[in-house]
Amino acid sequence: MRRIGEPDRIVVIGGGISGLSSAFYLQREAERLGKDIRLTIVDGAPALGGKINTLQRDGFVIEKGPDSFLARKLAIIDLATELGLSDELTTTNPGAKKTYILHRKKLHPMPAGLVLGVPTEMKPFLKSGLVSWGGKLRALMDLALPARKVQGDESLGGFLERRVGSQIMTQIAEPLLAGIYAGDLRKLSIQATFPQFAASERKHGSLIRGMQHNRKAGAAALPAVAKGGTFLTFKGGLTTVVKALDKALSGADRKLGVKVAEIRDERRVAVKREGQSSEAGVQENGQARYTVVLENGEQLPADRIVMTAPAHDAADLLEPLTDVSELRAIHYVSVANVVMAFDKATFGLDFDGSGFLVPRSEGLSITACTWTSSKWLHTSPGDKVLLRCYVGRAGDEEKAKLPDEELIAAVRHDIEVTMGIKAEPLFTEITRLYRSMPQYPVGHLDNVKRLRARLAQELPGVWVTGAAFDGVGLPDCVRQGKEAAKAILAEA
């Protein structure tokens, strides 16, 4: 639609990791293909980064949003390499490998060989006090149960109950896996969250056997930087990658601190205004197919749009132009995290692990507690202690919205009940992330496929991507940004 010789105008809506990755790989892919593009990044926040927010305070490195990423998902490691940040990557403390689960108000170590809540080593699992003998025997029935004959999506919780029983699902898998999505496993799509579980059943006839195989194969395929631990981050915090992307995208225009009010399809406007039956008028004058209208009245011409906003915001902008029922089906959960710093001299407790998870059945306000200064040695001075507690999950979001004083009191009550901690914090940092955790319903992947097909037909050049679609973790968002860039420029 643009005149020959003019750059392709691409507007990226959203300045979080999905938007920044999309913009970065659009820039890289355009260079590779020899295409001329003009990038504009729009975000309602005053700074780039989205939920990534590292606070440097009194010698502490505090993550107010996400705190790390899975080492086995390589997209963000590849991005770090491209940005020259490989030496900044750091893994968890090798002396803090234990993770605990609260069961009947007592902390039990997760048995060795547990992979995403699935036991792959039998002796440690059978010795664990997390489930009863009946629950253990029920889990082992997975080795004999036939595979499901019916193909298709199902809920993650339903799958786990079917394969390894309700005790494993509620007391081990739910607090572990729901911690990623803050969700209700009985409502989450298995194909959109942990498709490897269903694949294990199909290929090996057993979830346990499949995960045993995947564990060995996965470890062998990891690069050296990812073999030191399950999680990685950057020594200076996750904002390291945001700053590097910001610098790499210095040639892109930014519109920060202002939201998008409307997306206008100029072809439809022309047809309605002038009775045109085609795009001829729009094409002849070199006008962009779309106009992104900002709340301050500014109008950005766009030949293509990358939408990385949350599903509900994307739906609000696209609904005047097309059916967005699939976006409306993606609900979000609100959560909060409470970070507390202590003086080690008054703390009275030494940690031998990275933290613990809390099942719903325990009835506490917190869903997990990370012993941050033990898990990540770079986050705290040696004479201090840093804890991070999580509040809020599907069906229990109101606690995340408590007033500050009540929220702090509830968290301090829980750490006293679980760990006996009565020390007064040096300071407390609260972060509330409203409607931040997308929930993938059963049938989600088919919904996304259908939505993207409709957009390609009705709104060519508009691509939706980000945490609402194919993975909520940072590596998933980076991977989706790269995929979006290739898809968009392939159409140009």
Side-chain angles (χ1 to χ4, degrees):
M1 295 176 206
R2 67 192 188 282
R3 291 190 180 95
I4 295 175
E6 288 188 349
D8 203 359
R9 294 154 291 191
I10 304 176
V11 175
V12 177
I13 300 176
I17 190 66
S18 297
L20 292 174
S21 298
S22 297
F24 175 77
Y25 284 113
L26 279 165
Q27 186 173 269
R28 283 290 177 96
E29 186 71 0
E31 290 172 358
R32 187 182 72 82
L33 296 173
K35 293 184 176 182
D36 188 13
I37 64 172
R38 180 191 299 166
L39 283 170
T40 303
I41 302 169
V42 183
D43 197 288
L48 297 172
K51 296 180 183 69
I52 295 176
N53 184 2
T54 306
L55 171 66
Q56 305 273 356
R57 175 175 176 178
D58 302 335
F60 293 93
V61 179
I62 298 170
E63 299 289 3
K64 295 173 71 65
D67 73 341
S68 58
F69 51 89
L70 281 171
R72 64 181 174 82
K73 294 191 173 184
L74 305 183
I76 196 166
I77 296 176
D78 293 340
L79 175 62
T81 301
E82 292 181 82
L83 292 170
L85 299 176
S86 296
D87 291 342
E88 295 298 314
L89 289 168
T90 185
T91 189
T92 50
N93 175 14
K97 290 187 178 296
K98 287 184 182 179
T99 301
Y100 293 81
I101 297 180
L102 192 67
H103 180 52
R104 295 179 180 175
K105 302 299 184 288
K106 181 181 178 181
L107 294 178
H108 294 255
M110 286 174 55
L114 207 65
V115 178
L116 296 173
V118 180
T120 63
E121 295 180 22
M122 293 304 105
K123 286 184 179 179
F125 171 64
L126 293 175
K127 290 180 180 179
S128 173
L130 282 169
V131 295
S132 69
W133 275 105
K136 293 170 184 174
L137 292 174
R138 173 62 185 85
L140 295 179
M141 285 177 61
D142 166 76
L143 297 168
L145 287 172
R148 182 188 187 212
K149 294 182 180 179
V150 179
Q151 298 299 308
D153 203 2
E154 64 180 309
S155 76
L156 176 57
F159 172 89
L160 290 170
E161 285 185 311
R162 181 168 60 78
R163 293 306 314 180
V164 292
S166 59
Q167 279 196 44
I168 293 291
M169 199 279 281
T170 59
Q171 291 167 214
I172 297 180
E174 192 274 339
L176 182 63
L177 303 184
I180 300 171
Y181 293 91
D184 180 346
L185 266 59
R186 291 185 176 89
K187 295 180 180 179
L188 292 176
S189 157
I190 189 171
Q191 292 297 339
T193 55
F194 295 95
Q196 64 267 45
F197 286 173
S200 291
E201 181 187 35
R202 289 194 303 272
K203 185 174 181 180
H204 300 277
S206 157
L207 175 60
I208 292 174
R209 280 197 294 269
M211 297 307 289
Q212 288 172 331
H213 176 271
N214 292 349
R215 183 186 179 193
K216 294 176 183 177
L222 288 176
V225 69
K227 291 182 178 179
T230 304
F231 299 98
L232 290 171
T233 188
F234 296 92
K235 296 170 186 175
L238 290 173
T239 52
T240 301
V241 72
V242 173
K243 291 176 181 178
L245 284 167
D246 187 13
K247 183 177 180 180
L249 291 164
S250 59
D253 295 330
R254 294 101 189 287
K255 305 293 180 181
L256 303 180
V258 58
K259 295 181 179 180
V260 176
E262 178 190 2
I263 296 175
R264 206 162 56 222
D265 184 342
E266 296 299 345
R267 182 188 65 174
R268 298 186 188 184
V269 171
V271 169
K272 185 175 181 180
R273 182 178 61 241
E274 303 174 18
Q276 296 169 330
S277 59
S278 71
E279 297 182 30
V282 174
Q283 290 175 326
E284 286 172 6
N285 63 20
Q287 183 179 350
R289 169 67 186 259
Y290 303 101
T291 299
V292 177
V293 183
L294 306 185
E295 285 188 338
N296 62 6
E298 187 174 0
Q299 300 187 14
L300 307 176
D303 300 300
R304 305 181 192 283
I305 296 171
V306 184
M307 175 72 73
T308 72
H312 44 87
D313 290 336
D316 290 343
L317 292 171
L318 296 174
E319 197 161 38
L321 304 174
T322 189
D323 175 17
V324 292
S325 54
E326 295 88 357
L327 291 174
R328 296 294 186 198
I330 304 170
H331 300 291
Y332 282 72
V333 170
S334 298
V335 296
N337 63 70
V338 180
V339 176
M340 293 173 288
F342 298 87
D343 192 320
K344 186 175 284 188
T346 64
F347 193 66
L349 186 65
D350 288 321
F351 296 126
D352 64 348
S354 61
F356 64 92
L357 306 166
V358 182
R360 292 175 185 266
S361 57
E362 294 297 314
L364 298 184
S365 296
I366 64 173
T367 62
C369 176
T370 299
W371 301 332
T372 305
S373 51
S374 175
K375 183 177 181 179
W376 303 102
L377 295 179
H378 68 282
T379 62
S380 173
D383 60 345
K384 301 293 189 294
V385 176
L386 196 63
L387 297 184
R388 171 167 156 146
C389 294
Y390 300 79
V391 180
R393 53 185 151 197
D396 189 21
E397 298 179 63
E398 292 307 310
K399 291 172 184 173
K401 303 174 185 177
L402 289 172
D404 286 1
E405 290 186 4
E406 293 182 33
L407 181 57
I408 292 171
V411 169
R412 291 195 62 187
H413 166 271
D414 287 358
I415 66 171
E416 182 176 349
V417 167
T418 54
M419 297 177 286
I421 296 171
K422 297 182 180 181
E424 189 73 23
L426 297 171
F427 63 82
T428 301
E429 291 283 345
I430 296 174
T431 306
R432 301 175 193 277
L433 300 167
Y434 294 114
R435 299 180 76 184
S436 61
M437 306 294 288
Q439 308 294 293
Y440 299 161
V442 174
H444 176 74
L445 296 185
D446 287 338
N447 289 350
V448 172
K449 185 177 180 180
R450 185 166 54 251
L451 172 66
R452 285 186 170 150
R454 186 183 308 120
L455 291 177
Q457 179 68 30
E458 299 181 11
L459 297 174
V462 175
W463 187 268
V464 290
T465 192
F469 298 95
D470 189 22
V472 299
L474 299 182
D476 298 304
C477 293
V478 171
R479 170 182 52 78
Q480 291 178 80
K482 190 172 187 177
E483 291 169 352
K486 289 187 176 181
I488 288 167
L489 290 181
E491 298 173 354

